[in-house]
Amino acid sequence: MVADRARGRVPFIAVSLNAGVEHRVYCSRFPAPQVRDLIGVHTHAPLPIMKNIQIIDGAVNCVYDLFAATEEQFALIFPGDTDIAFIDEVYERGDAVLLNAAFKAIWQRPVKKKAANGIHGTLFYELEQKKAYYPTRKDDEAINPNGSLLRAVKR
Protein backbone atom coordinates (compact mmCIF):
# COMPACT_ATOMS: atom_id res chain seq x y z
CA MET A 1 0.00 0.00 0.00
CA VAL A 2 2.84 2.42 0.80
CA ALA A 3 4.45 1.58 -2.54
CA ASP A 4 1.12 2.22 -4.29
CA ARG A 5 0.77 5.63 -2.66
CA ALA A 6 4.37 6.47 -3.58
CA ARG A 7 3.45 5.77 -7.22
CA GLY A 8 0.32 7.96 -6.98
CA ARG A 9 -2.06 5.04 -6.56
CA VAL A 10 -4.80 4.90 -3.98
CA PRO A 11 -6.20 1.82 -2.23
CA PHE A 12 -9.81 3.00 -2.48
CA ILE A 13 -12.03 5.98 -2.98
CA ALA A 14 -15.40 6.40 -1.32
CA VAL A 15 -17.90 8.05 -3.64
CA SER A 16 -21.33 9.32 -2.63
CA LEU A 17 -23.52 8.69 -5.66
CA ASN A 18 -26.80 9.11 -3.83
CA ALA A 19 -27.71 11.04 -0.69
CA GLY A 20 -26.60 9.05 2.31
CA VAL A 21 -25.28 6.09 0.33
CA GLU A 22 -21.57 5.41 0.23
CA HIS A 23 -20.03 3.29 -2.49
CA ARG A 24 -16.44 2.12 -2.30
CA VAL A 25 -14.50 1.82 -5.51
CA TYR A 26 -11.23 -0.04 -5.25
CA CYS A 27 -8.70 1.65 -7.47
CA SER A 28 -5.28 0.38 -6.44
CA ARG A 29 -4.44 -0.35 -10.08
CA PHE A 30 -5.22 3.13 -11.41
CA PRO A 31 -3.20 6.29 -10.86
CA ALA A 32 -5.03 8.70 -8.56
CA PRO A 33 -5.32 11.51 -11.19
CA GLN A 34 -7.06 9.09 -13.58
CA VAL A 35 -9.52 8.06 -10.90
CA ARG A 36 -10.21 11.67 -9.92
CA ASP A 37 -10.97 12.51 -13.54
CA LEU A 38 -13.13 9.41 -13.92
CA ILE A 39 -15.39 10.07 -10.94
CA GLY A 40 -15.15 13.85 -10.86
CA VAL A 41 -13.95 14.29 -7.27
CA HIS A 42 -10.58 14.60 -5.62
CA THR A 43 -9.63 11.74 -3.36
CA HIS A 44 -8.62 14.11 -0.57
CA ALA A 45 -11.66 16.41 -0.83
CA PRO A 46 -14.74 15.80 1.28
CA LEU A 47 -17.37 13.85 -0.59
CA PRO A 48 -20.33 15.91 -1.80
CA ILE A 49 -23.73 15.27 -0.27
CA MET A 50 -26.18 14.65 -3.06
CA LYS A 51 -29.89 15.44 -3.16
CA ASN A 52 -32.31 13.85 -5.60
CA ILE A 53 -34.51 16.01 -7.81
CA GLN A 54 -37.55 14.59 -9.60
CA ILE A 55 -38.30 16.18 -12.97
CA ILE A 56 -41.92 16.45 -14.07
CA ASP A 57 -42.78 17.97 -17.42
CA GLY A 58 -45.92 18.51 -19.44
CA ALA A 59 -45.30 15.66 -21.89
CA VAL A 60 -47.89 12.89 -22.03
CA ASN A 61 -45.01 10.39 -21.88
CA CYS A 62 -43.23 12.06 -18.94
CA VAL A 63 -41.28 9.43 -16.98
CA TYR A 64 -40.54 11.44 -13.80
CA ASP A 65 -36.78 11.00 -13.93
CA LEU A 66 -34.54 11.54 -10.90
CA PHE A 67 -31.20 13.32 -10.94
CA ALA A 68 -28.62 13.95 -8.22
CA ALA A 69 -27.54 17.49 -7.35
CA THR A 70 -24.92 18.74 -4.92
CA GLU A 71 -26.21 20.81 -2.01
CA GLU A 72 -24.98 23.97 -3.76
CA GLN A 73 -26.76 23.07 -7.01
CA PHE A 74 -29.91 22.14 -5.09
CA ALA A 75 -29.88 25.52 -3.30
CA LEU A 76 -29.75 27.35 -6.65
CA ILE A 77 -32.98 25.62 -7.69
CA PHE A 78 -34.76 25.35 -4.33
CA PRO A 79 -34.13 28.44 -2.17
CA GLY A 80 -34.53 28.24 1.61
CA ASP A 81 -36.50 25.22 2.74
CA THR A 82 -38.58 24.88 -0.43
CA ASP A 83 -38.76 21.57 -2.25
CA ILE A 84 -41.02 22.49 -5.20
CA ALA A 85 -39.76 24.61 -8.09
CA PHE A 86 -40.91 25.71 -11.52
CA ILE A 87 -38.22 26.15 -14.15
CA ASP A 88 -39.41 29.62 -15.25
CA GLU A 89 -39.21 30.91 -11.66
CA VAL A 90 -35.81 29.31 -11.16
CA TYR A 91 -34.39 31.29 -14.08
CA GLU A 92 -36.24 34.49 -13.09
CA ARG A 93 -34.54 34.63 -9.69
CA GLY A 94 -31.16 33.08 -10.53
CA ASP A 95 -28.10 33.74 -12.66
CA ALA A 96 -28.55 31.95 -16.00
CA VAL A 97 -24.83 31.18 -16.36
CA LEU A 98 -24.66 29.53 -12.93
CA LEU A 99 -27.93 27.68 -13.50
CA ASN A 100 -26.86 26.40 -16.91
CA ALA A 101 -23.62 25.08 -15.42
CA ALA A 102 -25.52 23.47 -12.52
CA PHE A 103 -28.04 21.80 -14.81
CA LYS A 104 -25.30 20.57 -17.14
CA ALA A 105 -23.71 18.78 -14.17
CA ILE A 106 -27.05 17.55 -12.78
CA TRP A 107 -28.10 15.97 -16.10
CA GLN A 108 -24.91 13.89 -15.96
CA ARG A 109 -26.10 12.23 -12.72
CA PRO A 110 -29.31 10.30 -13.37
CA VAL A 111 -30.52 8.19 -10.43
CA LYS A 112 -32.37 4.92 -10.85
CA LYS A 113 -35.59 5.08 -8.90
CA LYS A 114 -34.94 1.73 -7.22
CA ALA A 115 -31.58 3.01 -5.95
CA ALA A 116 -32.83 6.42 -4.80
CA ASN A 117 -32.58 7.34 -1.17
CA GLY A 118 -35.54 9.74 -1.18
CA ILE A 119 -36.70 12.61 -3.34
CA HIS A 120 -35.57 15.95 -1.98
CA GLY A 121 -37.17 18.26 -4.53
CA THR A 122 -39.53 18.34 -7.51
CA LEU A 123 -38.86 20.52 -10.54
CA PHE A 124 -41.77 21.23 -12.89
CA TYR A 125 -41.43 22.12 -16.57
CA GLU A 126 -44.35 23.45 -18.65
CA LEU A 127 -46.95 22.94 -15.89
CA GLU A 128 -48.10 26.44 -14.95
CA GLN A 129 -51.42 25.06 -13.66
CA LYS A 130 -49.58 23.23 -10.86
CA LYS A 131 -48.40 26.50 -9.30
CA ALA A 132 -51.79 27.05 -7.66
CA TYR A 133 -51.38 23.80 -5.67
CA TYR A 134 -47.97 24.80 -4.27
CA PRO A 135 -48.26 28.46 -3.18
CA THR A 136 -45.47 28.07 -0.60
CA ARG A 137 -43.37 25.88 -2.92
CA LYS A 138 -43.29 23.19 -0.21
CA ASP A 139 -44.66 19.74 -1.01
CA ASP A 140 -46.04 19.17 2.50
CA GLU A 141 -48.11 22.36 2.21
CA ALA A 142 -49.82 21.56 -1.11
CA ILE A 143 -53.42 22.79 -1.23
CA ASN A 144 -56.66 22.14 -3.12
CA PRO A 145 -58.27 24.90 -5.20
CA ASN A 146 -60.53 25.74 -2.22
CA GLY A 147 -57.47 26.31 0.02
CA SER A 148 -57.75 23.14 2.09
CA LEU A 149 -54.69 20.95 2.50
CA LEU A 150 -54.26 18.52 -0.39
CA ARG A 151 -53.25 15.77 2.03
CA ALA A 152 -55.54 14.89 4.92
CA VAL A 153 -52.61 14.45 7.30
CA LYS A 154 -49.64 16.80 7.29
CA ARG A 155 -46.40 14.81 7.04
Side-chain angles (χ1 to χ4, degrees):
M1 186 154 86
V2 173
D4 277 346
R5 284 197 177 144
R7 287 183 292 214
R9 299 175 192 276
V10 293
F12 71 87
I13 297 170
V15 182
S16 179
L17 297 176
N18 195 3
V21 177
E22 183 178 278
H23 298 272
R24 291 188 184 271
V25 179
Y26 290 85
C27 303
S28 61
R29 296 176 189 241
F30 300 102
Q34 269 185 321
V35 174
R36 288 183 197 126
D37 291 342
L38 177 69
I39 63 172
V41 297
H42 294 281
T43 56
H44 303 293
L47 298 174
I49 294 175
M50 306 301 273
K51 291 189 171 186
N52 296 326
I53 301 172
Q54 184 172 40
I55 308 301
I56 301 177
D57 65 36
V60 174
N61 64 344
C62 177
V63 293
Y64 309 97
D65 283 327
L66 298 178
F67 293 89
T70 65
E71 285 195 4
E72 293 80 13
Q73 293 163 345
F74 190 88
L76 286 173
I77 301 165
F78 303 95
D81 61 351
T82 63
D83 57 5
I84 297 291
F86 293 86
I87 194 63
D88 61 317
E89 295 174 351
V90 170
Y91 274 92
E92 284 171 9
R93 72 174 168 264
D95 178 279
V97 173
L98 287 175
L99 288 165
N100 289 340
F103 281 118
K104 183 177 180 181
I106 290 168
W107 302 146
Q108 300 301 310
R109 294 190 294 268
V111 177
K112 290 186 183 258
K113 291 175 188 158
K114 291 179 182 179
N117 187 11
I119 297 173
H120 304 92
T122 302
L123 178 59
F124 288 99
Y125 281 78
E126 304 169 358
L127 291 167
E128 288 287 316
Q129 69 274 19
K130 296 286 189 183
K131 290 180 179 181
Y133 299 103
Y134 300 102
T136 63
R137 302 303 186 252
K138 296 178 185 178
D139 186 60
D140 285 343
E141 297 175 6
I143 61 169
N144 287 305
N146 68 4
S148 64
L149 286 177
L150 191 62
R151 295 181 183 91
V153 178
K154 196 169 181 179
R155 298 186 260 171

